[in-house]
Amino acid sequence: MQYNEIQEKAVAHTKGPMLVLAGPGSGKTAVITGRCARLIRDGISPSSILVVTFTKAAASEMKERFLKLTGGKARGATFGTFHGIYYGILKNTYRIRGGCIMADDLRQNVLHEILLSVYPGAAQEADLPSQVGREISLVKGSRADVRYFYSGVLPQDVFRSVYTAYENWKRDNGRMDFDDIITRCHALLSGSPEILQRWQEKFRYILVDEFQDISPLQYEILRMLALPENNLFIVGDDDQSIYRFRGASPELMLNFPKDYPDAQILALEDNYRNTPQILGAAGRLITHNRKRYEKLQIPVSEDGEKVAAYMAKNSREECRRVAEDILRAHEEGVPYEEMALLFRTNGGCREAVEQLMEYRIPFQAGDAIPCVFDHWIAKNIFCYMDIGAGSRARSDFLQICNRPNRYLSRDAFYEPVVSFEHLYAWYEGKDWMERRVEQFESQLRMVGRLSPYGAVTYIRREIGYEEYLKSYAMERNLPAEDLLSVLDELADSARNYRTYQEWQEAISAFRETLQEQKMRSPKDKKEGVMVSTLHASKGMEYDRVWILDVNEGIIPYHKAVLDADLEEERRMLYVGMTRARKKLTLCSVRERYEKAASPSPFLEEIFG
């Protein structure tokens, strides 16, 4: 295999620590597999080599390329994920069974049950178990004291109760989660010098891919394993570190030369992926980050098109224009599979998916697309509208009768089919309650007369549902804007339909499409335009990329207030921009949900 000059230096490295800075499209996989092959050629036993990365797919691809490079003769080298390697170490010592490792769905179910027992309203917040799970992982991965950890999704005393109950459940049921694999492996190797020595003697040469995504505890284990020879060969790009919410710490990569003063440092400068225009724009953006390695990126490909930017009136116009761009590109011969739409969050792609469906453009999802219409807030709104349309189901009334609070008793709804006559009779003699029932009936009658958009707005403003959500958020230490954004999405969707029935039919088609995406096997052939978050796009590349909603409050995200947060947001956009091989378009809107929207300050950094 042919290597450029700097790649050759990395491949030829023999002993001691080395840091290889590998920007987008610089051939890092070729360097890792090439170095493994060179070590074996120089007489190192394949069984002494450990290659660690973050996903099974990446480890599998790297192993496949390595075996191809060596003609399949060096099968003793170990390729795996951090969790896979560390689990293997535990299993070798404790003889634990694979069945004791909790699958993610079981973890979510356990956390859901615990939350239901200690936190009122948990049943309504479908994302809460996964959010709490991420915070538990953060506590354990950073070795923080849970007593001093500040939760962003639960009151502090509730978070500590959930954390303790979850740890107790695992202990009582003989289960481990993926975080436990890391913590227990660290405890094992820290407390058993003879076991540590055995693994040090086995893995004498350690290579790490995507090092910028490593957590402190994962790194500590690696450092122990690499002793005493410190043949630690790490490859990564600090500019692509975008997983702080999972516990990744880009500072570990920045501090590597302090941990290993004798480490050699190389930067792979040639970029084989992006045009000069795309690489230049991404470079202008990322140089505004202060905490990073300065590095040169030289495009190898020929000149291409300028990075495009356009501002649409609103999301609907933005997504329609992108859909038309996709159709034109396809007519020019670009396969759908070579195009991608990227978003800051997976909750932001509803309009784009609807437009792709309308234009009959096939698409695939990079990660699960949530259905806003399944959110508990949406279900509340639909209950109001169902009753307004004539439903008298007790279950519908019970969902919304006290949202906002009308002080109506559940006992008053004692029949499967609700009758307002019976409600009045229930509160007979209580004038103030009769007036509440009368107002409730009048409001529901009005909802039934309005268009879908008018109904959502009336429920939100006149009935007081928005104020109810603000109070709900305050009581539970939740960001109110996250809940109100669901109302914004519903109103934005409802605007496109004349009748409630039309809207519900469109929602059913939308749900069905998302369900088809979920049912696709990872082994299925990838077909259609990629719809993905910036996070999930990492490691991918496409001929044409559109990044949508490059607006203040979205990119960078409204929760990013600290310098470290803003630097990560900038890195996230950098990652998205460098997914594009030939053409990149940055899209923004002038208004969102009928409110003025500002372009992202990052656009000024890119275009000057």
Side-chain angles (χ1 to χ4, degrees), residues 86-112:
Y86 296 166
Y87 171 71
I89 291 173
L90 288 174
K91 186 177 179 181
N92 184 271
T93 302
Y94 295 124
R95 309 295 178 190
I96 56 179
R97 298 172 294 102
C100 75
I101 306 298
M102 296 172 70
D104 190 57
D105 56 350
L106 175 59
R107 186 182 198 231
Q108 299 302 314
N109 290 339
V110 171
L111 286 171
H112 178 66

Side-chain angles (χ1 to χ4, degrees), residues 181-218:
I181 291 174
I182 307 298
T183 57
R184 293 190 188 185
C185 185
H186 182 269
L188 170 66
L189 298 181
S190 300
S192 306
E194 67 286 352
I195 293 175
L196 173 60
Q197 183 179 352
R198 192 163 75 239
W199 290 103
Q200 288 170 336
E201 290 171 353
K202 174 171 176 53
F203 295 134
R204 292 181 52 231
Y205 294 85
I206 301 175
L207 300 89
V208 186
D209 181 31
E210 302 282 12
F211 184 79
Q212 74 277 353
D213 295 331
I214 201 168
S215 72
L217 207 53
Q218 290 169 339

Side-chain angles (χ1 to χ4, degrees), residues 263-333:
Q264 296 182 48
I265 302 176
L266 289 175
L268 304 181
E269 296 178 343
D270 288 347
N271 175 295
Y272 295 94
R273 177 190 300 163
N274 312 113
T275 64
Q277 289 79 5
I278 292 169
L279 195 60
R284 288 191 294 275
L285 170 71
I286 203 63
T287 52
H288 283 80
N289 274 2
R290 295 178 183 177
K291 294 183 177 180
R292 62 183 293 268
Y293 286 106
E294 291 292 335
K295 56 184 81 72
L296 185 64
Q297 290 275 282
I298 303 169
V300 172
S301 65
E302 298 177 356
D303 266 8
E305 300 182 47
K306 287 183 179 179
V307 173
Y310 69 71
M311 181 176 284
K313 178 185 176 184
N314 52 36
S315 291
R316 187 164 183 79
E317 181 184 297
E318 175 190 40
C319 294
R320 183 184 292 121
R321 185 166 172 179
V322 169
E324 291 169 354
D325 284 352
I326 291 170
L327 287 178
R328 275 193 296 272
H330 189 61
E331 288 169 2
E332 292 166 4

Side-chain angles (χ1 to χ4, degrees), residues 239-257:
D239 290 334
Q240 297 187 71
S241 179
I242 59 173
Y243 293 116
R244 283 177 68 238
F245 69 96
R246 290 185 190 166
S249 177
E251 289 77 18
L252 296 176
M253 189 166 190
L254 294 171
N255 291 331
F256 189 80

Side-chain angles (χ1 to χ4, degrees), residues 154-206:
L154 289 174
Q156 303 313 102
D157 57 334
V158 176
F159 179 78
R160 287 193 289 270
S161 296
V162 172
Y163 183 96
T164 302
Y166 176 61
E167 293 300 302
N168 290 342
W169 186 93
K170 287 186 297 179
R171 183 199 62 213
D172 295 344
N173 289 274
R175 293 299 189 108
M176 294 169 58
D177 62 18
F178 287 104
D179 300 321
D180 295 325
I181 291 174
I182 307 298
T183 57
R184 293 190 188 185
C185 185
H186 182 269
L188 170 66
L189 298 181
S190 300
S192 306
E194 67 286 352
I195 293 175
L196 173 60
Q197 183 179 352
R198 192 163 75 239
W199 290 103
Q200 288 170 336
E201 290 171 353
K202 174 171 176 53
F203 295 134
R204 292 181 52 231
Y205 294 85
I206 301 175

